[in-house]
Amino acid sequence: MKKRIPVSTIMTKNIIAVNRTDDLETAERLFKQYHIRHIPVVSGDVIIGMLSYTDLLRISFADAIQDDETEVDTVVYNMFTIDQVMTKNVVTVNSETTIKDVAEILTKNEFHALPIVDEGHLVGIVTTTDLINYLLKHCLLYTSDAADDSLRVD
């Protein structure tokens, strides 16, 4: 396996983001619509924070809302702004950072997504799910035992 593969090969480039002026209900709708757990908070294409679905769960009953419901109890959401809930001191990496280095950062910290920033501009996001998918695709051990062919990834 190559060791110097840049994170740009596995990062998500079509970024779903919110602005600090958006409301939390909008953020929750994006989490559910796109089946994501992390949303960068931006000003233009500059990252100023990160919002996770867990952040919303901490302040609301969002996990009690059914996926097919369109109305959300906005009372709790109206009590907070994205600025108040988001993580402000965001760790970022650039698109040339290796997948190995990204994996080390994510395993040593208590977050599961890293914004990818080149020359001050948000260009992507990489998550622990992206890393696991990469490992499943490239790093599974192969066996010559015919009984284990069901585990083989081609």
Side-chain angles (χ1 to χ4, degrees):
M1 182 175 75
K2 298 176 188 174
K3 295 183 181 184
R4 306 282 320 154
I5 300 172
V7 71
S8 61
T9 62
I10 65 166
M11 72 183 189
T12 299
K13 295 174 183 139
N14 297 326
I15 306 161
I16 307 300
V18 293
N19 293 299
R20 68 174 3 140
T21 56
D22 288 332
D23 58 35
L24 293 172
E25 187 175 357
T26 298
E28 183 189 19
R29 191 168 40 256
L30 290 172
F31 283 125
K32 289 183 175 185
Q33 178 180 350
Y34 293 100
H35 307 284
I36 56 177
R37 295 181 311 264
H38 306 90
I39 298 178
V41 181
V42 297
S43 177
D45 62 353
V46 176
I47 187 159
I48 57 173
M50 185 70 89
L51 187 66
S52 73
Y53 193 62
T54 303
D55 295 331
L56 291 187
L57 294 178
R58 286 186 186 121
I59 64 164
S60 72
F61 299 105
D63 57 342
I65 303 299
Q66 298 297 318
D67 286 338
D68 59 347
E69 289 184 26
T70 56
E71 292 189 31
V72 177
D73 183 3
T74 59
V75 174
V76 174
Y77 287 158
N78 289 335
M79 296 170 60
F80 297 95
T81 64
I82 285 181
D83 247 358
Q84 291 172 310
V85 179
M86 72 180 185
T87 300
K88 293 179 180 73
N89 297 320
V90 179
V91 175
T92 65
V93 296
N94 67 54
S95 62
E96 292 303 312
T97 303
T98 65
I99 292 173
K100 178 183 180 286
D101 289 342
V102 166
E104 288 174 352
I105 292 168
L106 290 173
T107 57
K108 291 178 183 175
N109 294 282
E110 293 186 18
F111 47 82
H112 298 278
L114 279 172
I116 312 300
V117 176
D118 285 340
E119 299 178 13
H121 302 285
L122 181 66
V123 296
I125 186 171
V126 66
T127 67
T128 52
T129 301
D130 297 324
L131 288 172
I132 292 168
N133 286 333
Y134 173 80
L135 289 172
L136 287 172
K137 184 175 179 183
H138 292 90
C139 300
L140 284 179
L141 297 175
Y142 296 121
T143 179
S144 60
D145 185 351
D148 289 334
D149 278 350
S150 64
L151 298 176
R152 186 172 177 157
V153 177
D154 292 314

